[in-house]
Amino acid sequence: ANVRVRELNTALDATATQAGREGLGVSGAVELRREVAETRAELDAGKRAAELTGRETRRLEDSRSDLEASVVSLERQLADNKSMLHSSQEAERRHLQQLAGAVSEEKHRAEMEAAAAAEDEVARLRAEVIRAEDRCLAAETEVSRRTAATTTRDAELTQLRGAV
């Protein structure tokens, strides 16, 4: 657009110079004025187009700059989010390890409590068996004593019968 403006200025200057040399008449001057006016209108239109193009270029550059800043910001957010995700996953892994350890400890504790309860039950049953054996021995002793007493009495009765 600036090149076109320069071309038009040069053409306008050349036309004015030529008209001055040729010494045009009234109709030539009117024609020259019309050409100058058209050329100036084209020149003004070219200037406006150049200004518009410049504004659009600046606007596009600003938009591009804004977009680049947005991309950088989004990339930073993505990196931050990835970092947070990694940290969260690591924390979750550690927490799961702690839970697994706690469950393992709880399971071991429960197994130990069950084993201790089983040992207590075995000891109680062993004591019960020992008491039962003692009662059995006491009963056998009593049966033996009574059998001996009965045998002694039967022998005495037999002697008394034999003596009668």
PDB file of all heavy atoms in Angstrom, residues 155-164:
ATOM      1  N   ALA A 155     -16.365-113.134 102.989  1.00  0.00           N
ATOM      2  CA  ALA A 155     -15.498-114.141 103.628  1.00  0.00           C
ATOM      3  C   ALA A 155     -15.919-114.328 105.084  1.00  0.00           C
ATOM      4  O   ALA A 155     -15.976-115.451 105.599  1.00  0.00           O
ATOM      5  CB  ALA A 155     -14.047-113.711 103.543  1.00  0.00           C
ATOM      6  N   GLU A 156     -16.248-113.229 105.761  1.00  0.00           N
ATOM      7  CA  GLU A 156     -16.687-113.331 107.156  1.00  0.00           C
ATOM      8  C   GLU A 156     -18.020-114.079 107.223  1.00  0.00           C
ATOM      9  O   GLU A 156     -18.239-114.902 108.097  1.00  0.00           O
ATOM     10  CB  GLU A 156     -16.836-111.944 107.772  1.00  0.00           C
ATOM     11  CG  GLU A 156     -15.538-111.270 108.082  1.00  0.00           C
ATOM     12  CD  GLU A 156     -15.723-109.833 108.596  1.00  0.00           C
ATOM     13  OE1 GLU A 156     -16.901-109.372 108.721  1.00  0.00           O
ATOM     14  OE2 GLU A 156     -14.710-109.166 108.809  1.00  0.00           O
ATOM     15  N   LEU A 157     -18.892-113.747 106.266  1.00  0.00           N
ATOM     16  CA  LEU A 157     -20.192-114.436 106.239  1.00  0.00           C
ATOM     17  C   LEU A 157     -19.990-115.926 105.969  1.00  0.00           C
ATOM     18  O   LEU A 157     -20.670-116.777 106.559  1.00  0.00           O
ATOM     19  CB  LEU A 157     -21.123-113.838 105.183  1.00  0.00           C
ATOM     20  CG  LEU A 157     -21.820-112.543 105.545  1.00  0.00           C
ATOM     21  CD1 LEU A 157     -22.609-112.010 104.363  1.00  0.00           C
ATOM     22  CD2 LEU A 157     -22.771-112.743 106.698  1.00  0.00           C
ATOM     23  N   THR A 158     -19.098-116.238 105.099  1.00  0.00           N
ATOM     24  CA  THR A 158     -18.827-117.619 104.782  1.00  0.00           C
ATOM     25  C   THR A 158     -18.236-118.295 106.017  1.00  0.00           C
ATOM     26  O   THR A 158     -18.604-119.436 106.341  1.00  0.00           O
ATOM     27  CB  THR A 158     -17.844-117.714 103.600  1.00  0.00           C
ATOM     28  OG1 THR A 158     -18.346-116.966 102.520  1.00  0.00           O
ATOM     29  CG2 THR A 158     -17.633-119.123 103.148  1.00  0.00           C
ATOM     30  N   GLN A 159     -17.396-117.674 106.762  1.00  0.00           N
ATOM     31  CA  GLN A 159     -16.826-118.247 107.983  1.00  0.00           C
ATOM     32  C   GLN A 159     -17.932-118.394 109.023  1.00  0.00           C
ATOM     33  O   GLN A 159     -17.984-119.384 109.738  1.00  0.00           O
ATOM     34  CB  GLN A 159     -15.739-117.343 108.568  1.00  0.00           C
ATOM     35  CG  GLN A 159     -14.415-117.543 107.950  1.00  0.00           C
ATOM     36  CD  GLN A 159     -13.395-116.608 108.621  1.00  0.00           C
ATOM     37  OE1 GLN A 159     -13.733-115.797 109.474  1.00  0.00           O
ATOM     38  NE2 GLN A 159     -12.174-116.767 108.238  1.00  0.00           N
ATOM     39  N   LEU A 160     -18.741-117.412 109.138  1.00  0.00           N
ATOM     40  CA  LEU A 160     -19.833-117.505 110.092  1.00  0.00           C
ATOM     41  C   LEU A 160     -20.823-118.584 109.668  1.00  0.00           C
ATOM     42  O   LEU A 160     -21.329-119.311 110.544  1.00  0.00           O
ATOM     43  CB  LEU A 160     -20.577-116.156 110.202  1.00  0.00           C
ATOM     44  CG  LEU A 160     -19.847-115.039 110.966  1.00  0.00           C
ATOM     45  CD1 LEU A 160     -20.669-113.780 110.897  1.00  0.00           C
ATOM     46  CD2 LEU A 160     -19.640-115.446 112.391  1.00  0.00           C
ATOM     47  N   ARG A 161     -21.060-118.780 108.492  1.00  0.00           N
ATOM     48  CA  ARG A 161     -21.945-119.849 108.037  1.00  0.00           C
ATOM     49  C   ARG A 161     -21.275-121.183 108.257  1.00  0.00           C
ATOM     50  O   ARG A 161     -21.953-122.166 108.585  1.00  0.00           O
ATOM     51  CB  ARG A 161     -22.292-119.679 106.562  1.00  0.00           C
ATOM     52  CG  ARG A 161     -23.327-118.657 106.351  1.00  0.00           C
ATOM     53  CD  ARG A 161     -23.757-118.732 104.915  1.00  0.00           C
ATOM     54  NE  ARG A 161     -24.469-117.517 104.611  1.00  0.00           N
ATOM     55  CZ  ARG A 161     -24.581-116.929 103.507  1.00  0.00           C
ATOM     56  NH1 ARG A 161     -23.981-117.427 102.453  1.00  0.00           N
ATOM     57  NH2 ARG A 161     -25.266-115.856 103.376  1.00  0.00           N
ATOM     58  N   GLY A 162     -20.022-121.175 108.006  1.00  0.00           N
ATOM     59  CA  GLY A 162     -19.303-122.443 108.222  1.00  0.00           C
ATOM     60  C   GLY A 162     -19.195-122.738 109.712  1.00  0.00           C
ATOM     61  O   GLY A 162     -19.185-123.881 110.139  1.00  0.00           O
ATOM     62  N   ALA A 163     -19.206-121.786 110.567  1.00  0.00           N
ATOM     63  CA  ALA A 163     -19.129-121.974 111.988  1.00  0.00           C
ATOM     64  C   ALA A 163     -20.523-122.292 112.547  1.00  0.00           C
ATOM     65  O   ALA A 163     -20.652-122.904 113.584  1.00  0.00           O
ATOM     66  CB  ALA A 163     -18.587-120.727 112.634  1.00  0.00           C
ATOM     67  N   VAL A 164     -21.470-122.029 111.960  1.00  0.00           N
ATOM     68  CA  VAL A 164     -22.820-122.296 112.474  1.00  0.00           C
ATOM     69  C   VAL A 164     -23.197-123.655 112.101  1.00  0.00           C
ATOM     70  O   VAL A 164     -23.148-124.639 111.858  1.00  0.00           O
ATOM     71  CB  VAL A 164     -23.841-121.333 111.883  1.00  0.00           C
ATOM     72  CG1 VAL A 164     -25.197-121.645 112.385  1.00  0.00           C
ATOM     73  CG2 VAL A 164     -23.479-119.938 111.935  1.00  0.00           C
TER      74      VAL A 164
END
